[in-house]
Amino acid sequence: MTIQHPSDPTAADMAKHLPRAIMRYLREADPQHKANAHDLLAAFAPDATVIDDDGRTYTGHDEILRWRASEGTEYTYTVEVSHVEKFDDTHYVVTNHLEGDFPGGVVDIIYRFTLADGLITKLEIAP
């Protein structure tokens, strides 16, 4: 997959039309937003799976909540949607460009979403 950088000017417009569950996840994962566990979990099916950028797998609301609680708390950074791709009504890829005080200071994170019944059933995260 090719990451478009600098940001694709249509990415922000396309992001406005993402399914509600993906929008909810992206909002709750944004460090500028005070995350809410209830809102975060409302984006995921009860048996959803998350595979993080370290290859670890989390299944179900309890594990996903523990994963999110431990992620990204030691660094400050900004997030910008740089690419959005819709494959069909159940598969989306969103790339976020992050800049901050973490090692390296800049990274593009790829989120691969699978949806069913309006909820995220699988989220794969890759740098």
Side-chain angles (χ1 to χ4, degrees):
M1 167 183 277
T2 301
I3 298 174
Q4 299 178 4
H5 195 59
S7 299
D8 177 352
T10 63
D13 289 333
M14 289 180 68
K16 294 175 188 175
H17 302 287
L18 286 167
R20 185 179 195 152
I22 295 174
M23 294 291 294
R24 180 174 278 175
Y25 171 78
L26 293 173
R27 181 186 68 237
E28 296 305 316
D30 187 328
Q32 306 303 316
H33 177 79
K34 183 172 168 58
N36 176 301
H38 173 75
D39 285 346
L40 173 71
L41 293 178
F44 289 92
D47 60 346
T49 299
V50 172
I51 302 170
D52 72 7
D53 55 341
D54 290 323
R56 291 185 291 257
T57 300
Y58 306 88
T59 302
H61 281 183
D62 290 342
E63 288 185 17
I64 291 170
L65 186 58
R66 280 193 295 276
W67 162 71
R68 278 307 305 160
S70 67
E71 285 293 302
T73 56
E74 61 189 277
Y75 303 110
T76 56
Y77 54 93
T78 60
V79 177
E80 178 185 2
V81 174
S82 60
H83 184 77
V84 174
E85 194 166 353
K86 176 182 178 179
F87 292 96
D88 57 39
D89 288 340
T90 61
H91 296 92
Y92 295 80
V93 172
V94 176
T95 303
N96 278 350
H97 181 73
L98 282 61
E99 293 187 21
D101 61 1
F102 51 86
V106 177
V107 68
D108 289 313
I109 302 291
I110 301 168
Y111 298 93
R112 292 181 183 93
F113 294 94
T114 302
L115 304 175
D117 299 322
L119 297 174
I120 300 166
T121 58
K122 186 174 185 181
L123 170 58
E124 296 176 79
I125 304 169

